[in-house]
Amino acid sequence: GNAKKKAIAYAKARETMEVIEQLRRVGLTSLRQLCQGLQDRGMKTPYGRPEWHPQQVSNIIKTACG
């Protein structure tokens, strides 16, 4: 149900957030830079697409930290 979907989304957000934190440590700080970094590492969006957009990265950060 809904609780299971939320748990899966949160787990994926945490996994992606770990990569975002690594990217930040090497100096990528803007949402656009983080998008490029995720794409360069082959990370897929929550919908399985290869291209990231700044709003998606922002949503992941909010989900993982919220």
Side-chain angles (χ1 to χ4, degrees):
N2 243 4
K4 185 177 179 182
K5 285 181 184 178
K6 280 187 177 183
I8 291 169
Y10 180 77
K12 286 184 178 184
R14 281 299 318 149
E15 181 182 319
T16 304
M17 194 62 207
E18 289 176 20
V19 176
I20 289 172
E21 288 167 357
Q22 291 170 5
L23 294 171
R24 285 176 165 170
R25 283 195 290 274
V26 297
L28 304 180
T29 55
S30 76
L31 292 175
R32 289 193 186 281
Q33 288 174 327
L34 294 170
C35 289
Q36 190 61 52
L38 289 168
Q39 290 170 188
D40 290 348
R41 289 175 183 227
M43 296 286 296
K44 301 245 188 247
T45 69
Y47 294 102
R49 296 188 178 106
E51 353 26 74
W52 284 84
H53 299 281
Q55 187 61 51
Q56 291 169 310
V57 173
S58 178
N59 291 344
I60 291 284
I61 292 168
K62 287 177 189 168
T63 300
C65 297

